[in-house]
Amino acid sequence: MVSLPNIAKPHVGADFLPINGTDYVELYVGNALQSAHYFQNAFGFQPLAMAGLETGLSDRESYVVVQDKIRLVFTSPLHGGTPIGAHIDRHGDGVKAIALWVDDAAKAYRDTIHRGARSFMEPLREEDSDGVTVRSGICTYGDTVHIFVERSQYNGAFLPGFVAWTPSHIPTVTGLRYIDHMVGNVGWNEMNKWVKFYQEVMGFTMLVSFDDKDISTDYSALMSKVMSNGNGRIKFPINEPAEGKKKSQVEEYLDFYDGPGVQHIAVATDHIVETVRDLRDRGVEFLQVPPSYYDDLVERVGHIDEEMASLRELGILVDRDDEGYLLQIFTKPIMPRPTLFFEIIQRKGARSFGKGNFKALFEAIEREQMLRGTL
Ligand code: FE2
């Protein structure tokens, strides 16, 4: 028998890293209070918790907002020379941590480190009057990290050290329910390296793969593989740029983010027409496909429950696969650099990612790139 190297082979059928769901997503931003305010007012998130000078922190301030199962954390440094500030200087506002809810954060850390993960944070027990949490962290692509969160012994607003945040103004929700998937953009020829990371270190499997022939327009090209954990609650598509006539949208991201990072966060709703109308009325800006997209839509996707006029008015896209259909729409980047954006998605049976919309969508992105002069 040849002995195996340190990295264990993934066990088909044995989920060594059970994940209950996404726990939170933390963004490092220039102004955490105003980012939280934007996500409350534009996206309908509710204030949940905060930590900062008032709670004994000296280097940073964080605001946490929530909508159904989605928790977003916005963190800013309180003075110069911090790692958080360096992250913002290099990447602009962006996602630092994708936190995953597990039953045993120390075991998740041990197992993933044993399988070759790079450590970000050794298991850390935190405690306050509301109970105890354990968190640990490993590095993934770029400066992005995964935090494992164990919170079965905790009843507080968010995490030990945070206090409930109760501002006077509380906007209504917009129907966003949970994170459907989060996409990472990685460098040239790095997609398979990160696919292997999710397979071997985290026990994920590949759901689907797209090559540059599936995903290319006249100009923009990319390749993508979708990784999923055992119970399917965590889905991470990984994109890399591909050669096209002009600059790939993934390459534009890598240039502006100065390296790999999270490209978009897809959030699910049960009522996409109402949700998108609400978001639009609150000032969220979406990518628009040309009206001709809708001319042959019924022939392409067959019968759908939604009114075509509403989809056309709002610019909502539809795609069908063997299991059903999905509706989706993409925001413009929500920060000065053309990096992070959001997707709003409603699944009606379909478990795919809207392959039939790629061409129309990428042409819309290219029109935006053209305006930015980066194509
Ligand atoms: Fe997506």
Side-chain angles (χ1 to χ4, degrees):
M1 285 285 286
V2 181
S3 68
L4 289 169
N6 280 338
I7 295 175
K9 289 273 175 265
H11 240 256
V12 177
D15 193 359
F16 75 88
L17 181 61
I19 300 171
N20 302 320
T22 309
D23 195 282
Y24 64 87
V25 178
E26 181 171 21
L27 296 93
Y28 284 175
V29 298
N31 189 329
L33 181 59
Q34 289 189 8
S35 291
H37 194 69
Y38 171 75
F39 275 87
Q40 289 174 81
N41 286 282
F43 284 87
F45 282 83
Q46 308 294 298
L48 181 67
M50 68 84 57
L53 289 172
E54 299 90 323
T55 64
L57 292 179
S58 58
D59 64 333
R60 67 189 188 279
E61 183 155 89
S62 294
Y63 291 88
V64 189
V65 297
V66 64
Q67 189 163 182
D68 205 336
K69 292 191 172 68
I70 314 164
R71 276 193 291 245
L72 302 179
V73 182
F74 301 97
T75 298
S76 296
L78 287 173
H79 54 78
T82 67
I84 300 167
H87 194 279
I88 297 166
D89 183 46
R90 178 169 177 188
H91 302 298
D93 288 4
V95 172
K96 174 63 184 179
I98 302 171
L100 304 168
W101 174 28
V102 298
D103 292 332
D104 188 337
K107 180 177 185 300
Y109 181 83
R110 258 193 335 265
D111 287 353
T112 51
I113 294 291
H114 172 70
R115 286 165 179 258
R118 194 154 56 87
S119 175
F120 175 68
M121 180 171 90
E122 289 188 9
L124 174 69
R125 190 176 180 278
E126 293 164 296
E127 186 170 3
D128 67 11
S129 57
D130 289 310
V132 180
T133 60
V134 182
R135 292 189 300 150
S136 60
I138 60 170
C139 300
T140 179
Y141 47 78
D143 287 331
T144 317
V145 300
H146 289 308
I147 304 289
F148 300 117
V149 184
E150 174 186 332
R151 55 166 69 254
S152 59
Q153 305 298 315
Y154 193 68
N155 297 309
F158 178 54
L159 288 171
F162 284 76
V163 293
W165 181 33
T166 53
S168 56
H169 175 56
I170 300 187
T172 54
V173 297
T174 60
L176 303 178
R177 294 201 47 222
Y178 59 89
I179 293 178
D180 185 275
H181 59 276
M182 290 184 68
V183 179
N185 279 344
V186 301
W188 292 95
N189 306 312
E190 285 190 344
M191 177 178 66
N192 287 329
K193 170 185 150 183
W194 290 106
V195 163
K196 202 166 163 237
F197 169 85
Y198 281 105
Q199 283 172 333
E200 295 187 351
V201 173
M202 297 188 65
F204 283 33
T205 51
M206 189 169 74
L207 281 186
V208 59
S209 129
F210 307 101
D211 66 20
D212 52 343
K213 280 156 216 71
D214 294 317
I215 316 184
S216 76
T217 59
D218 273 358
Y219 298 124
S220 192
L222 63 84
M223 294 189 279
S224 188
K225 288 184 176 173
V226 182
M227 307 307 295
S228 169
N229 81 318
N231 61 19
R233 290 183 199 167
I234 307 294
K235 290 188 285 286
F236 293 147
I238 307 291
N239 294 339
E240 74 171 36
E243 291 288 353
K245 280 189 198 156
K246 288 195 178 176
K247 184 180 277 189
S248 163
Q249 53 172 293
V250 178
E251 192 181 0
E252 184 197 37
Y253 175 102
L254 296 170
D255 286 351
F256 278 93
Y257 200 73
D258 195 13
V262 172
Q263 179 211 39
H264 75 264
I265 304 174
V267 288
T269 170
D270 292 335
H271 305 283
I272 196 165
V273 170
E274 289 82 351
T275 295
V276 170
R277 182 167 284 128
D278 199 358
L279 294 173
R280 189 192 62 177
D281 291 347
R282 293 165 183 239
V284 176
E285 290 191 86
F286 294 99
L287 281 178
Q288 292 301 323
V289 293
S292 59
Y293 171 88
Y294 296 92
D295 293 348
D296 62 346
L297 188 59
V298 176
E299 285 127 79
R300 208 153 54 71
V301 301
H303 171 76
I304 52 172
D305 303 330
E306 292 72 19
E307 272 184 35
M308 194 59 71
S310 303
L311 302 182
R312 186 192 287 262
E313 176 208 344
L314 296 165
I316 295 168
L317 311 176
V318 192
D319 194 29
R320 185 176 283 280
D321 64 20
D322 297 342
E323 298 173 287
Y325 69 97
L326 63 83
L327 305 114
Q328 63 186 169
I329 190 168
F330 299 82
T331 73
K332 293 183 179 178
I334 56 160
M335 33 216 41
R337 303 189 197 191
T339 52
L340 180 68
F341 59 89
F342 275 70
E343 171 183 351
I344 315 298
I345 185 167
Q346 181 177 3
R347 295 186 179 278
K348 294 197 135 176
R351 287 192 288 177
S352 50
F353 294 85
K355 178 179 164 182
N357 290 322
F358 287 168
K359 189 168 159 46
L361 198 61
F362 292 175
E363 284 170 355
I365 291 173
E366 281 164 23
R367 284 193 295 278
E368 299 279 322
Q369 282 184 282
M370 202 98 75
L371 291 172
R372 293 193 283 263
T374 60
L375 194 60

